[in-house]
Amino acid sequence: MSKKAESKSYKKDEFVALVSEKSGLNKTDSAKALDAVLQSLEHVLANGDSVNFVGYGSFSVSQRAAREGRNPKTGEKMKIKASNAIKFSSGKKLKDAVNK
């Protein structure tokens, strides 16, 4: 069986348990640390800045221009307003780990 067939989607509490195991912190402290990291990432990206973890990857914000689209149900033309999109570019260390 390939890795893809065995893949799992982690829920937050499962991921916190994994972080706790890897870090040696208890689950409560691991959850607080994870929340702090995610809130900090959200804050930085909301300000239009980027975050770079060398070897792991970088998070940035790109701007999408307003454009015209179509309603898939009716085929009717509609305007899609401009928005910000979050981009993640993986680093070499992460790519190598995933491709083992």
Side-chain angles (χ1 to χ4, degrees), residues 13-52:
D13 60 335
E14 296 169 319
F15 191 74
V16 165
L18 182 62
V19 170
S20 175
E21 179 184 315
K22 297 280 184 181
S23 68
L25 298 171
N26 63 44
K27 288 183 182 179
T28 302
D29 289 342
S30 294
K32 287 179 184 178
L34 179 60
D35 286 342
V37 168
L38 295 176
Q39 289 171 1
S40 298
L41 182 61
E42 180 182 320
H43 175 77
V44 169
L45 294 173
N47 287 333
D49 297 326
S50 61
V51 177
N52 184 25

